[in-house]
Amino acid sequence: MTDTQSVVIIGGGPAGLTAAYELLKDGGAARYNVTVLEASDEFGGISRTVKHNGNRMDIGGHRFFSKDDRVMDWWKNILPLQGAPSYDDKKLGRVHDLEPGGPDPEKVDEVMLKRHRVSRIYWHGKFFDYPVSLKWDTLKNMGFAQTMKVGFSYLKSLIHKLPEDNLENFYINRFGRALYGMFFEGYTEKLWGRRPSVISADWGSQRVKGISITAVLKDAWDKLLGKQKKTGEGETSLIEEFWYPKYGPGQLWETVAKIDMGNGCTILKNATVTKVNEKDGAISSVVYRDSQGGEHTVYGDVFISSMPIKDLVNAIDAGESAEPVSKEQLTIANGLPYRDFVTVGLLVDKLNLKNETSIPTLGNPPIVPDCWIYVQDTSVKVGRIQIFNNWSPYLVKDVDNKVWIGLEYFCNEGDDFWNQTDEEGINFAIEELIRMKIIGSKSDVLDAHRERVKKAYPAYFDTWYDMDKLTPWLDSFGNLYCVGRNGQHRYNNMDHSMVTAMEAVSNIKSGRKDKKNVWSVNTEKSYHEAK
């Protein structure tokens, strides 16, 4: 081993760019020669920001909040927290705790905003808090008969617990069958394209741990008594405020990439890894294809991969390897399921949704304050609607007079929906909004953009159940680390992906051989936004 180690990082998303940053900070270039290979021409993976005619789209929506203080401090170090009100907060008199000495977002671009979180469920033309809260509006929107049905269904779930061997039973045990049918069943099937009864309960346990009717009742009682909401006491408290880069998540990762390159990192865009070569039980090199179709080989001492496990295993199988993957392991890798993603951005003058909350918003009439609207109506395909104005006023060119929204669809690469032309996909989205009476007609739409994302969501079914037969083989290559959402085939949030990279770098620097700390990130049974 030479004094300087060559580290090859596959992927320029949160995990890959974090790994490069952690290796090269504090003069790390003296010890590590780092190369990042990014298959696209953008940074951030699914955490990128798409620019279209002066407006910006956040692919999938990214709230910057973590229960890991390392990550919070990391973000704040890259983009400092705002020290003065943002445009909309200033205009509307909305209040946030501001950072003493922090930058003014009206004057500085490299700044992290503090934003109010509002995400609600849209069911039969009515809004419900997400997660459901126990208040008069909730009972009024459900109606007496449905409220009674929900109540008795929940009582039954307390007495008769189902075995939690699938996601459906997991939800029913916490909410009762009636509420599950209202707010979980249809949406989950939209998201995954499968019945919740065939999806592992592990997904639910990581996403909604602590959210239950018991938590709703306790929260309502605490509010009645004037108690402050606490976190970290076993039950989940969904955050009411989050951080957000002025120009969306992609801004942060573009900034990190610049810092990485300034610290000595070589970053190659449009570099698709096609082969991974092995020698003497370790990875020796990778072959990537450039945008012109030319092939190049990059040698290294250490390799960090955030590429999908399916693609990684096939790349190793296609390369030179003395330890070939078995037929069973290749079958597992090729059977790993993903859900792909299409988002359609639409620019309109207004939405036919009244702001009946106490939260002031921009627009004439004022828009609803939601970041996300979860669409539980199974008669339409759209799963969520983002209102980009509420994520950051700087995502919208004319934030005072226009509403820039994103309709989020879940599908499979190659299916009929995925294969639609941009015009067909945009028209489909517009027709659904009209059917939901959120806009009046096609003429209300002033501009539109469609974006497709492959392998957006690693899924917890099919050969995922056999992952424990595949990961030991990957770990047998001592100098290979699998990180990130697709790199581990785990529904990681952005902060989890970053932590897998931090743990991998920690192992590289310390010489630790055991990779359990890398794989164990986000396996605890706790909600991703509990702190």
Side-chain angles (χ1 to χ4, degrees):
M1 185 177 292
T2 60
D3 291 336
T4 302
Q5 282 187 288
S6 293
V7 182
V8 179
I9 299 172
I10 305 172
L17 293 176
T18 298
Y21 182 94
E22 291 296 305
L23 285 164
L24 294 171
K25 68 181 183 181
D26 302 326
R31 293 183 59 196
Y32 302 103
N33 178 16
V34 180
T35 301
V36 174
L37 303 175
E38 167 54 39
S40 73
D41 60 358
E42 297 179 89
F43 297 120
I46 194 175
S47 303
R48 67 184 185 275
T49 303
V50 174
K51 304 175 183 70
H52 176 73
N53 291 344
N55 297 304
R56 291 174 166 85
M57 299 170 64
D58 179 349
I59 302 299
H62 291 83
R63 291 186 295 266
F64 283 67
F65 180 88
S66 178
K67 62 182 180 180
D68 192 323
D69 287 333
R70 286 180 300 171
V71 175
M72 297 290 279
D73 291 340
W74 202 96
W75 285 332
K76 187 167 61 174
N77 184 52
I78 302 297
L79 294 178
L81 289 170
Q82 68 183 92
S86 58
Y87 175 79
D88 54 349
D89 285 342
K90 182 186 295 184
K91 191 167 184 177
L92 296 165
R94 298 188 308 203
V95 178
H96 285 284
D97 292 330
L98 300 173
E99 195 77 359
D104 182 347
E106 286 289 272
K107 300 176 181 177
V108 176
D109 284 344
E110 292 195 346
V111 57
M112 187 79 79
L113 306 179
K114 290 186 175 182
R115 306 299 292 172
H116 290 293
R117 172 207 171 116
V118 181
S119 297
R120 291 182 294 173
I121 296 168
Y122 195 64
W123 183 75
H124 288 197
K126 296 175 181 176
F127 280 106
F128 292 82
D129 288 345
Y130 175 76
V132 176
S133 63
L134 188 66
K135 59 184 183 183
W136 173 244
D137 285 345
T138 303
L139 304 180
K140 183 177 69 174
N141 286 344
M142 281 200 293
F144 179 78
Q146 187 67 21
T147 299
M148 289 297 98
K149 187 177 179 181
V150 165
F152 284 115
S153 173
Y154 174 65
L155 291 175
K156 181 180 178 181
S157 74
L158 291 177
I159 298 167
H160 177 61
K161 290 293 183 185
L162 300 171
E164 291 194 358
D165 51 7
N166 63 65
L167 189 57
E168 180 173 280
N169 290 355
F170 175 89
Y171 281 136
I172 291 172
N173 281 347
R174 280 155 184 77
F175 300 98
R177 189 172 291 276
L179 205 59
Y180 160 74
M182 286 176 65
F183 294 148
F184 294 95
E185 184 176 21
Y187 180 80
T188 303
E189 195 161 348
K190 279 186 191 181
L191 175 57
W192 296 116
R194 298 288 186 94
R195 294 278 305 155
S197 58
V198 302
I199 300 173
S200 169
D202 284 15
W203 185 82
S205 67
Q206 289 180 10
R207 306 301 287 186
V208 297
K209 170 73 174 179
I211 303 176
S212 62
I213 294 291
T214 305
V216 170
L217 292 170
K218 182 178 182 299
D219 183 59
W221 180 252
D222 286 347
K223 285 180 177 177
L224 189 66
L225 297 178
K227 291 183 179 180
Q228 292 293 314
K229 188 182 290 186
K230 295 182 179 180
T231 58
E233 295 182 346
E235 292 290 352
T236 292
S237 172
L238 288 178
I239 57 169
E240 295 176 354
E241 184 179 85
F242 60 92
W243 298 352
Y244 196 75
K246 179 177 178 177
Y247 291 123
Q251 182 191 13
L252 179 125
W253 296 113
E254 289 160 10
T255 303
V256 173
K258 288 179 185 176
I259 294 171
D260 287 347
M261 287 186 282
N263 286 339
C265 182
T266 299
I267 298 181
L268 302 175
K269 293 183 179 182
N270 299 302
T272 303
V273 172
T274 57
K275 294 180 183 179
V276 176
N277 298 315
E278 177 262 344
K279 184 179 180 181
D280 299 328
I283 304 301
S284 59
S285 65
V286 299
V287 177
Y288 74 86
R289 185 176 58 246
D290 63 27
S291 58
Q292 305 301 314
E295 290 200 334
H296 313 267
T297 301
V298 181
Y299 295 88
D301 302 305
V302 179
F303 295 81
I304 300 174
S305 172
S306 65
M307 68 191 292
I309 283 183
K310 177 185 294 188
D311 297 340
L312 173 64
V313 171
N314 278 283
I316 295 174
D317 192 50
E320 298 172 1
S321 178
E323 291 288 337
V325 63
S326 69
K327 286 185 178 179
E328 181 187 24
Q329 290 165 333
L330 188 59
T331 299
I332 293 168
N334 286 328
L336 288 174
Y338 299 85
R339 199 67 165 146
D340 305 290
F341 182 83
V342 174
T343 185
V344 178
L346 300 177
L347 186 70
V348 297
D349 285 318
K350 64 183 180 68
L351 301 173
N352 296 334
L353 297 172
K354 291 183 179 179
N355 182 6
E356 296 177 343
T357 74
S358 60
I359 302 169
T361 56
L362 297 174
N364 184 25
I367 63 173
V368 289
D370 305 74
C371 300
W372 267 322
I373 298 171
Y374 292 85
V375 181
Q376 300 294 345
D377 185 348
T378 54
S379 70
V380 292
K381 185 175 175 61
V382 63
R384 294 184 304 205
I385 299 173
Q386 284 196 75
I387 302 178
F388 297 115
N389 305 52
N390 296 325
W391 288 90
S392 166
Y394 306 102
L395 296 182
V396 186
K397 187 177 181 180
D398 184 6
V399 73
D400 286 303
N401 303 300
K402 299 291 183 286
V403 190
W404 178 231
I405 62 173
L407 282 75
E408 300 183 347
Y409 292 94
F410 315 108
C411 58
N412 292 324
E413 181 186 354
D415 68 15
D416 290 343
F417 186 80
W418 177 271
N419 287 336
Q420 287 179 335
T421 65
D422 285 346
E423 183 181 5
E424 289 170 338
I426 288 167
N427 286 335
F428 184 95
I430 292 172
E431 288 166 7
E432 291 212 315
L433 276 192
I434 295 170
R435 200 182 318 152
M436 295 168 66
K437 299 180 180 179
I438 292 178
I439 62 173
S441 68
K442 187 174 181 179
S443 62
D444 291 344
V445 177
L446 308 172
D447 195 10
H449 177 72
R450 175 173 173 257
E451 194 79 15
R452 298 188 298 179
V453 182
K454 297 178 182 179
K455 295 183 174 66
Y457 302 111
Y460 287 20
F461 44 83
D462 293 349
T463 59
W464 173 83
Y465 289 102
D466 295 319
M467 274 283 288
D468 59 349
K469 298 177 182 177
L470 179 60
T471 51
W473 178 75
L474 291 169
D475 282 349
S476 72
F477 302 105
N479 63 339
L480 173 66
Y481 296 87
C482 295
V483 299
R485 173 179 279 198
N486 280 328
Q488 294 191 336
H489 200 87
R490 186 172 295 145
Y491 200 122
N492 286 329
N493 281 334
M494 182 167 48
D495 61 326
H496 297 132
S497 294
M498 294 170 63
V499 173
T500 62
M502 292 175 179
E503 293 294 330
V505 170
S506 173
N507 286 11
I508 292 165
K509 289 183 174 180
S510 67
R512 175 176 173 169
K513 303 299 182 185
D514 187 352
K515 300 172 187 173
K516 286 181 181 177
N517 58 319
V518 182
W519 285 103
S520 65
V521 174
N522 192 27
T523 57
E524 74 280 9
K525 305 296 186 188
S526 62
Y527 185 73
H528 65 294
E529 286 175 349
K531 188 171 182 179

